[in-house]
Amino acid sequence: MTLRYLPDAGKLYGPEWTSDPQSVYARLRGRHGPVAPVEIAPGVQAHLVIGYQAAVDVLTNAGGVWSKDSRPWQVRLPDTPGAGAALGMLAHRTNVLYSDGADHARYRKVMTDCYNMIQPHKLREMVIEVSDSLIRRFAATGSADLATEFARPIPLRVFNLLLGRPDADSAALISALYDMMEASGEAGARGTEAYYRYITELIEAKYADRGDDLTSWFIDHPVGLSRQEVLEALVVTLAAGFDPMASLISNTISRMVSDDRYYNSLSNGALSTYDALLEALRAEPPMANYGPYFTTRAVDFHGTWIQPAELVLVSYAAANTEPTHLPDELRSDGGAYLGFGAGAHRCPAADPATLIAMTAIERLTSHLSDLELTVPREELEWRPGPFIRSLAHLPVRFTPIRPDQPGESPWSAQHPSSSTPSDQTSPARPADYATSAPWSS
Ligand code: HEM
């Protein structure tokens, strides 16, 4: 059985959606309340959870009806081009994102243990090195597209290092992944093939010779992942990390350079980078609607009757922007609301992701302190798609800096880590990351 077609289902595709999703959420909220019928692609329907409390109920599995296993939904999908596009992001894989219960706990333990082994000071150094090398490419020109020239390459170059490959290899990963995600036809197929070749060769190399890197930690984790499961852990790390990470960086910068309260902070510290990041996580969370859940039985959920195995998408973006009455100081999420999710599947990499974004942005603004948008923020172009809220371009101008200029520049910073005090780049966190394998003590 598929969802009954509703003529007023919201469309999560098309120009109106891409340019102004908040108007779509507002209209759906007015018509349907906390759960609304939508189409994520022509012919592919879903329930969009747009109420904050309803979103928390799904994420915390209230009533025990929610599953991450997409297979029962997948087999009933209509055979349409829209379905093909939806499956790219929703087809089942044997990893942490699509599993429940004991399987999920096993995969999740590997992810959290290994992510926690990334040492913040090493990660910060990597991000500074990568950020400076990207800034060097455009610093002398006085203008840049910070989405394509800065925010998007950073996560993949950093992941490439974290996974245990030299920076020189990152170009291969970047072009494979870009082709896989964005090219169609033969180029897309070549990208997919190159991407899996990169991962397979990486795994082979690390089985033969371990290093101090994420891939080796996945392999050696005591839960004993199979080779296929190691591959899945790498795939989900890159897939879950890359796009939202790039979006978080560009969405945050776009706020800082277009709002006077943040604009001032570039020079005199009115509001901090961290404030801008929290605001981006709340108002424009990168994983805007990528909270797929599936019903295990029929349920009357906040007034909507949902059949078994239907697709329910938690809209972090809509839930976060629903007016609530809980003052920020009483929140345990510090103001990021559901930006990193909640419950059993909450992002296990929220801390390193925050550190990467903060470090990259502070590096950029410390070198280029008078960044300004070349078009009003309302006219910025967003990438299409139902799931991720991400800028296509972020055109800025600034006073050019040259290699021979006195003072610190992206060319002169030889020991970058010392110039960015840790208290400026890491948000408050209860405990520091582990410094050795938790299973080795
Ligand atoms: C270092 C970069 C990142 C990595 C490696 C990463 C990894 C992951 C993984 C493995 C999961 C699945 C967890 C599970 O199912 O138990 C996940 C979930 C999630 N991540 Fe991240 N992530 C990263 C960055 C981000 C960023 C920047 C955002 C957005 C601000 C984000 C938002 C989320 C959300 C909302 C979920 C929950 C999805 C759900 O409920 O199904 N992540 N992340």
Side-chain angles (χ1 to χ4, degrees):
M1 190 198 294
T2 51
L3 276 180
R4 189 165 57 90
Y5 178 72
L6 290 173
D8 59 349
K11 294 199 175 12
L12 308 195
Y13 56 89
E16 188 208 354
W17 164 254
T18 303
S19 66
D20 188 12
Q22 283 296 340
S23 297
V24 177
Y25 300 140
R27 203 166 54 238
L28 291 173
R29 194 175 282 124
R31 278 191 198 153
H32 302 282
V35 183
V38 291
E39 268 195 335
I40 59 172
V44 183
Q45 296 181 39
H47 301 277
L48 192 69
V49 179
I50 50 184
Y52 189 87
Q53 188 53 51
V56 171
D57 288 346
V58 176
L59 297 171
T60 54
N61 199 7
V65 289
W66 306 102
S67 165
K68 295 292 285 182
D69 186 345
S70 55
R71 282 170 295 190
W73 165 81
Q74 220 171 300
V75 294
R76 304 177 334 160
L77 256 187
D79 186 14
T80 63
L87 280 173
M89 292 288 278
L90 298 173
H92 179 265
R93 298 193 69 110
T94 47
N95 67 29
V96 64
L97 198 53
Y98 295 101
S99 53
D100 302 314
D103 285 343
H104 175 251
R106 177 168 171 271
Y107 293 138
R108 173 94 186 179
K109 173 126 186 69
V110 178
M111 308 312 278
T112 48
D113 283 350
C114 295
Y115 292 162
N116 282 343
M117 284 177 63
I118 301 169
Q119 295 194 26
H121 69 279
K122 284 195 184 160
L123 179 59
R124 191 175 297 117
E125 273 173 27
M126 280 178 196
V127 179
I128 288 174
E129 217 172 291
V130 168
S131 304
D132 279 5
S133 87
L134 293 167
I135 297 166
R136 273 199 290 277
R137 293 186 188 166
F138 54 72
T141 67
S143 67
D145 177 346
L146 292 180
T148 58
E149 295 177 69
F150 188 69
R152 274 169 80 71
I154 286 177
L156 288 180
R157 281 182 61 180
V158 170
F159 284 138
N160 180 66
L161 292 168
L162 287 173
L163 296 176
R165 296 282 292 253
D167 198 24
D169 289 358
S170 63
L173 172 64
I174 292 177
S175 82
L177 208 66
Y178 280 13
D179 279 352
M180 183 172 93
M181 293 174 69
E182 274 152 30
S184 50
E186 260 186 44
R190 268 201 310 276
T192 307
E193 199 192 313
Y195 173 65
Y196 282 99
R197 194 167 54 243
Y198 167 93
I199 292 186
T200 312
E201 285 173 7
L202 171 63
I203 292 175
E204 292 309 317
K206 295 298 169 184
Y207 267 102
D209 184 16
R210 305 285 203 283
D212 187 20
D213 50 59
L214 260 182
T215 313
S216 302
W217 302 334
F218 287 153
I219 292 172
D220 285 335
H221 193 284
V223 310
L225 295 183
S226 66
R227 249 172 218 243
Q228 182 58 31
E229 288 172 329
V230 170
L231 180 138
E232 292 291 346
L234 293 175
V235 168
V236 78
T237 297
L238 286 164
F242 160 52
D243 237 0
M245 193 66 255
S247 310
L248 185 57
I249 295 172
S250 50
N251 293 3
T252 302
I253 297 173
S254 76
R255 286 181 175 271
M256 293 177 73
V257 295
S258 57
D259 179 330
D260 273 352
R261 294 168 309 150
Y262 297 115
Y263 176 80
N264 288 340
S265 77
L266 297 181
S267 47
N268 71 17
L271 279 178
S272 70
T273 306
Y274 191 50
D275 291 319
L277 182 125
L278 288 179
E279 182 63 8
L281 282 168
R282 187 190 68 79
E284 228 150 43
M287 298 277 238
N289 299 304
Y290 193 55
Y293 286 78
F294 305 88
T295 30
T296 53
R297 58 181 159 78
V299 59
D300 179 358
F301 184 64
H302 288 259
T304 295
W305 190 241
I306 304 180
Q307 296 300 317
E310 287 187 346
L311 169 61
V312 175
L313 289 174
V314 173
S315 173
Y316 302 108
N320 275 359
T321 46
E322 182 193 52
T324 58
H325 303 290
L326 188 58
D328 274 354
E329 60 270 19
L330 294 182
R331 307 189 66 95
S332 60
D333 52 36
Y337 291 57
L338 301 174
F340 281 119
H345 289 266
R346 182 180 193 273
C347 182
D351 287 337
T354 304
L355 189 146
I356 293 170
M358 291 281 292
T359 306
I361 296 169
E362 293 194 343
R363 207 64 197 162
L364 179 79
T365 54
S366 73
H367 292 315
L368 309 173
S369 61
D370 60 351
L371 291 166
E372 57 178 349
L373 286 178
T374 61
V375 295
R377 187 166 193 269
E378 308 70 64
E379 289 173 24
L380 288 175
E381 193 188 324
W382 295 84
R383 291 166 62 220
F387 300 119
I388 307 280
R389 185 72 177 149
S390 162
L391 282 164
H393 302 287
L394 182 55
V396 293
R397 60 179 155 245
F398 50 85
T399 305
I401 53 173
R402 296 181 320 272
D404 54 357
Q405 203 162 304
E408 207 203 320
S409 75
W411 293 273
S412 62
Q414 292 305 317
H415 302 287
S417 54
S418 59
S419 65
T420 309
S422 58
D423 58 351
Q424 283 178 21
T425 48
S426 28
R429 44 168 299 133
D432 218 344
Y433 297 85
T435 50
S436 62
W439 54 88
S440 64
S441 55

